[in-house]
Amino acid sequence: MKELDYYVQIAEEEIEKDAGRDKIFAKIDDIANCKWVLPDAIAKLPGIRKATLTDPADALSAATRTFSTLMPHFELQPMNPSEGEAQRMEMVEALLDWHFYTMNRRGAQYPLWDIVNSALKYMAVCFQVEYLPYSFKGRDDPQAKYAKSCGDFVWHVHNPQNVHARTNSYGTQSVVLKVKRTVRDLITEFGEDNKGIKKLMKALDKGKDYDISREEVEFYDYTDWTDRVKWVDYQEPIEIMREEHKLGFLPWVYREGENPLLGKVVSANLYDDACLVATIERWN
């Protein structure tokens, strides 16, 4: 395997490449969350009251509720015209439907809801596929037993702003996830004996008093077709894990369109203008 610096450089290049996209996505988030700041010059007018429109957020919520109630059905094309092959494909389709159904019941939120919402909001869907028999290999504790009883797969749906992929004409080459995580969360996942965690704790101890349940660091998770690398960025990149994953595939789904539904609204500044007009109308 290559050294950590190689993966850090790839991550930095992909994050820089997506900077323009992420600014648009951040504005879309503001619209979806009804966040709008009244200009200072207008805010100083006597008797002014801010009017924030909820129409785009309401439309996104309604569409998400509508489409997330429709469970998808998988259809596979037989590889040859024989009757046995057709029957085999039907069995595989039924198995995929069952895995999707059990996966969607797991946890407090439905992955299908998050997938639909992400597609509508950003015209992008990014999630990791975790195969539990592989992740929990050798574990027989109650949590592992319960997790595996609800199906073999977990989908971790991520905000596309946190996911950066290298792609070419052959498909996705690598994916890096960048998120903020608490120190306690990292200790829980990787353990206090992890060399990277020890190095991070030492660096934190030299800096300031901190609460491990609230202190956050930038966490990176890089995956390509052969390697899995995880590190945190605190004063310098600190390696948490670097190994070959030996899965034989890239355990990510990364799909992105070019024109989000609210993209033109952001580009033309229409939401800000509409909220400003509504505020002035209320004032008058």
Side-chain angles (χ1 to χ4, degrees):
M1 286 187 66
K2 297 178 175 62
E3 296 298 322
L4 177 63
D5 290 344
Y6 170 81
Y7 304 101
V8 172
Q9 182 178 356
I10 290 178
E12 291 175 348
E13 291 173 356
E14 295 307 313
I15 291 169
E16 182 179 357
K17 180 198 69 176
D18 291 336
R21 178 206 70 174
D22 293 340
K23 286 182 179 179
I24 295 175
F25 285 177
K27 289 288 291 182
I28 290 175
D29 276 345
D30 288 343
I31 295 174
N33 294 316
C34 302
K35 291 183 179 180
W36 176 67
V37 178
L38 187 64
D40 291 339
I42 303 298
K44 294 177 181 178
L45 295 175
I48 198 74
R49 288 191 303 157
K50 184 175 74 169
T52 303
L53 300 180
T54 65
D55 302 61
D58 293 339
L60 285 172
S61 296
T64 301
R65 288 194 300 270
T66 300
F67 292 113
S68 63
T69 60
L70 303 173
M71 293 293 291
H73 173 66
F74 299 92
E75 294 186 0
L76 302 180
Q77 184 69 29
M79 302 302 293
N80 60 65
S82 69
E83 182 178 348
E85 176 68 5
Q87 292 177 350
R88 189 177 74 87
M89 288 297 102
E90 290 179 0
M91 292 177 61
V92 174
E93 290 172 356
L95 184 61
L96 289 174
D97 285 340
W98 181 83
H99 275 303
F100 190 96
Y101 175 75
T102 56
M103 174 276 304
N104 200 50
R105 294 188 306 164
R106 187 189 301 276
Q109 288 184 296
Y110 296 125
L112 180 58
W113 176 285
D114 295 331
I115 290 170
V116 171
N117 184 258
S118 181
L120 289 168
K121 190 186 295 184
Y122 311 109
M123 196 171 282
V125 175
C126 309
F127 60 90
Q128 287 173 297
V129 181
E130 182 179 4
Y131 183 51
L132 294 183
Y134 177 87
S135 301
F136 291 153
K137 187 186 303 181
R139 286 183 55 179
D140 198 34
D141 55 278
Q143 182 184 13
K145 287 182 178 179
Y146 174 75
K148 289 187 286 187
S149 71
C150 298
D152 288 342
F153 296 95
V154 177
W155 285 1
H156 303 284
V157 184
H158 297 286
N159 188 316
Q161 295 174 76
N162 300 328
V163 181
H164 310 275
R166 283 191 305 161
T167 61
N168 59 22
S169 57
Y170 300 109
T172 303
Q173 301 304 301
S174 67
V175 178
V176 61
L177 171 70
K178 176 187 176 182
V179 292
K180 286 187 176 182
R181 295 181 62 177
T182 65
V183 176
R184 183 187 297 280
D185 187 26
L186 294 173
I187 292 174
T188 299
E189 179 174 349
F190 301 105
E192 294 181 344
D193 294 333
N194 180 279
K195 291 183 180 180
I197 295 298
K198 288 182 177 179
K199 186 174 181 180
L200 173 63
M201 299 299 291
K202 186 176 180 180
L204 287 167
D205 288 339
K206 290 182 178 180
K208 58 181 180 180
D209 294 334
Y210 64 93
D211 179 357
I212 63 173
S213 64
R214 296 186 178 182
E215 186 74 22
E216 291 185 331
V217 294
E218 297 283 359
F219 173 79
Y220 296 79
D221 183 354
Y222 170 95
T223 311
D224 60 23
W225 286 85
T226 57
D227 303 334
R228 184 80 178 269
V229 184
K230 299 179 182 181
W231 70 92
V232 295
D233 192 348
Y234 185 81
Q235 300 175 351
E236 63 175 342
I238 300 176
E239 181 179 309
I240 302 294
M241 185 191 84
R242 181 165 55 92
E243 63 185 26
E244 295 182 5
H245 55 67
K246 300 179 181 179
L247 291 173
F249 61 93
L250 182 63
W252 270 92
V253 172
Y254 179 88
R255 301 294 294 173
E256 183 178 0
E258 295 182 354
N259 298 301
L261 292 176
L262 294 177
K264 295 296 189 295
V265 174
V266 170
S267 300
N269 212 35
L270 296 179
Y271 184 71
D272 291 348
D273 292 347
C275 289
L276 182 59
V277 170
T279 299
I280 293 174
E281 288 178 346
R282 173 186 286 183
W283 180 55
N284 288 335

